[in-house]
Amino acid sequence: MKLNIALLAGDGIGPEVINEAVKVSDAIAKKFKHEITWTPALTGACAIDAVGVPYPDETHEICLAADAVLFGAIGHPKYDNDPTATVRPEQGLLLMRKKLGLFANVRPTFTFPSLIDNSPLKRERIEGTDLIFLRELTGGIYFGEKGRLDDGETAYDTCTYTRAEVKRLAKKGFELAMSRSKKLCCVDKANVMETSRLWRETVQAMEKDYPEVTVSYEFVDAVAMRLVQWPNSYDVLITENLFGDILTDEASVISGSMGLMPSASVGEHTSLYEPIHGSYPQATGLNIANPLATILSAAMMFEDAFGLKEEAEAIRAVVNSSLEQGIVTEDLVSKGNKAYKTSEVGDWLVANL
Ligand code: IPM
Ligand code: MN
C-alpha cells in the first residue's frame, strides 16, 4: 500500500519524538511491504520564525493532499510569558483543527501492566482502566468571540455550541460505545451552563437511536473527581472542548506518564495523529523525551487512517516489550536503573520489530 503522510514535527521536543515515530513507521512499512512518502511541513513557533504565521497555507495544502497527518508538538516559552504577543504557536494548531474540520479528538487512556506502579494512583484503583474521551475540538470557548472591553480592565471569552456540532460529536460517541461496552458518559455542567443544557438535551434525544447504549450524564466537576477514584467505571466519555482538554491531561496520570498517551483528531478532511503531551521546551535537544506517545499515535494512524490493524498491533506489541524490559526514557525509569535516550528507545524498537 502507498501511504502519503504529512509530517508536522512542530516545536520543542516535537522533531525528536517525530524522528523516532518515523523510524518505527519506516521499519513497519519495510516489514509489511508498504511505501511511505513523508512530506514535511512547518507549523507552530518554527513556522512563525520562518514565515511569520503558525499554520502557513502551504502546510494546509500539504495536509489536505495527504492521507494522514502525523504531528509532534507545538509551543514555545517565549510566547507563554508574553501575554501581549499577537501571533502564537498554538493558533497554528487551532487553525489547523478548524481548517481540516477535525471536530472529534479521540483520546484513549489505558494502563500498561508493567507500568502500573509508575502511576501516583494506587494499583487497585487503576488496574484494567480502558477508557476513551471524545473531546469536541472545533467549537466552544476555544473558538467563541473573545476580546477586551474599552476600559482595558475587562476581558471575555464566549462559549457557543450549535445542536449540529453536538450531534456530530455525540454520534461518534454512540458509535464508539456500540463497538465497546455500550456505555457512554456525557460530561457537562448542565446545572450552570446553557451550552451544557443544549448538549444534554441533544444527547438525550439521540438515545432512542441507540437503544443498546446506556448513557449517564455527569457534571464535569464530579467526573474530575471520579476519574482518579474509579477510572474503571468509565468507558466512552463525550465532552466539550475545554472540559475535554482538562480532563484528558488529568486522565493521563492514570497511565503513569504523559509521554505515553496517543490521540487522533478526526472529522471532515485528513485525520491528524499526535501525542497528547506538549512541546516540553526544557527538554528540547536533550534526547530525553519519551517518544512512545508519538509512536503509539503512529499505530493509531496505521489502524484508523489506513485500516492496517496488524501493523498497528505490531507497533503496540514491540512498545509493550520495551516497557517490560525497561528500555525506557527517564520519565519512566525505576530507581537505580538506566534511562535510555529518546533515539535509543527508537533504535531498540526498530531492532526488535
Ligand atoms: C491539547 C493542547 C492544545 C489545546 C493547546 C496547545 C492549544 O493543550 O492538544 O490538548 O488546548 O487543545
Ligand atoms: Mn491540552
Side-chain angles (χ1 to χ4, degrees), residues 74 90 93-94 97 107 135 142 245 274 276:
I74 224 168
E90 289 78 5
L93 187 57
L94 300 182
R97 289 171 178 168
R107 296 191 167 186
R135 165 188 174 195
Y142 271 59
D245 179 48
E274 59 166 315
I276 83 156

Side-chain angles (χ1 to χ4, degrees), residues 9-279:
D11 306 320
I13 57 162
E16 293 161 62
V17 292
I18 279 286
N19 204 24
E20 302 315 306
V22 167
K23 263 159 59 177
V24 171
S25 302
D26 282 340
I28 283 285
K30 196 167 164 212
K31 188 176 159 95
F32 290 87
K33 311 223 171 341
H34 301 298
E35 197 185 310
I36 305 185
T37 309
W38 301 104
T39 311
L42 288 175
T43 184
C46 62
I48 300 177
D49 291 343
V51 294
V53 291
Y55 184 58
D57 289 343
E58 195 197 336
T59 299
H60 183 55
E61 292 306 320
I62 290 172
C63 292
L64 276 182
D67 303 318
V69 180
L70 188 62
F71 178 78
I74 224 168
H76 192 287
K78 77 178 170 206
Y79 300 95
D80 296 344
N81 300 326
D82 177 10
T84 62
T86 50
V87 196
R88 311 181 152 272
E90 289 78 5
Q91 289 164 346
L93 187 57
L94 300 182
L95 198 60
M96 175 160 65
R97 289 171 178 168
K98 198 73 173 176
K99 287 179 83 170
L100 292 173
L102 304 173
F103 61 82
N105 186 210
V106 187
R107 296 191 167 186
T109 294
F110 45 88
T111 54
F112 299 83
S114 55
L115 291 182
I116 294 268
D117 296 318
N118 276 66
S119 171
L121 302 171
K122 290 198 184 84
R123 167 181 282 271
E124 58 270 27
R125 295 207 181 256
I126 58 172
E127 223 158 24
T129 298
D130 178 16
L131 55 87
I132 301 189
F133 272 97
L134 269 185
R135 165 188 174 195
E136 201 290 328
L137 204 56
T138 51
I141 202 163
Y142 271 59
F143 292 93
E145 203 185 312
K146 57 180 89 244
R148 301 259 176 138
L149 298 190
D150 288 340
D151 67 2
E153 300 299 310
T154 314
Y156 60 93
D157 296 275
T158 45
C159 181
T160 311
Y161 269 110
T162 65
R163 197 181 300 277
E165 283 176 316
V166 179
K167 234 173 152 168
R168 64 182 181 180
L169 192 274
K171 182 167 181 287
K172 287 202 182 290
F174 276 106
E175 286 166 1
L176 189 60
M178 282 301 288
S179 72
R180 293 169 53 98
S181 72
K182 304 192 169 58
K183 235 168 65 185
L184 181 67
C185 177
C186 174
V187 184
D188 62 34
K189 188 72 189 173
N191 51 346
V192 175
M193 293 171 66
E194 199 54 41
T195 42
S196 283
R197 288 192 274 273
L198 179 73
W199 268 76
R200 208 172 261 221
E201 177 186 309
T202 307
V203 177
Q204 276 169 348
M206 293 170 78
E207 279 190 46
K208 63 175 185 328
D209 301 326
Y210 304 88
E212 288 171 60
V213 178
T214 310
V215 189
S216 66
Y217 298 86
E218 298 179 31
F219 297 139
V220 60
D221 47 351
V223 173
M225 185 180 69
R226 274 190 57 192
L227 191 59
V228 283
Q229 273 187 317
W230 313 111
N232 264 304
S233 64
Y234 293 111
D235 190 48
V236 178
L237 302 102
I238 52 173
T239 192
E240 62 101 73
N241 205 342
L242 181 62
F243 296 163
D245 179 48
I246 297 168
L247 291 178
T248 52
D249 265 31
E250 187 194 359
S252 75
V253 174
I254 297 168
S255 71
S257 170
M258 258 214 136
L260 290 169
M261 288 297 121
S263 82
S265 300
V266 301
E268 292 161 32
H269 303 291
T270 321
S271 300
L272 179 136
Y273 299 84
E274 59 166 315
I276 83 156
H277 62 67
S279 60

Side-chain angles (χ1 to χ4, degrees), residues 274-295:
E274 59 166 315
I276 83 156
H277 62 67
S279 60
Y280 192 12
Q282 315 86 295
T284 306
L286 300 181
N287 201 17
I288 58 169
N290 187 342
L292 293 185
T294 313
I295 291 167

Side-chain angles (χ1 to χ4, degrees), residues 282-336:
Q282 315 86 295
T284 306
L286 300 181
N287 201 17
I288 58 169
N290 187 342
L292 293 185
T294 313
I295 291 167
L296 291 170
S297 299
M300 273 179 108
M301 173 183 77
F302 277 104
E303 179 161 1
D304 300 346
F306 300 108
L308 301 172
K309 196 171 164 81
E310 214 187 317
E311 287 77 347
E313 285 302 327
I315 296 178
R316 292 183 192 120
V318 77
V319 164
N320 272 326
S321 29
S322 74
L323 293 172
E324 273 153 24
Q325 298 187 37
I327 317 297
V328 293
T329 42
E330 63 174 32
D331 53 313
L332 291 177
V333 83
S334 47
K335 266 206 196 75

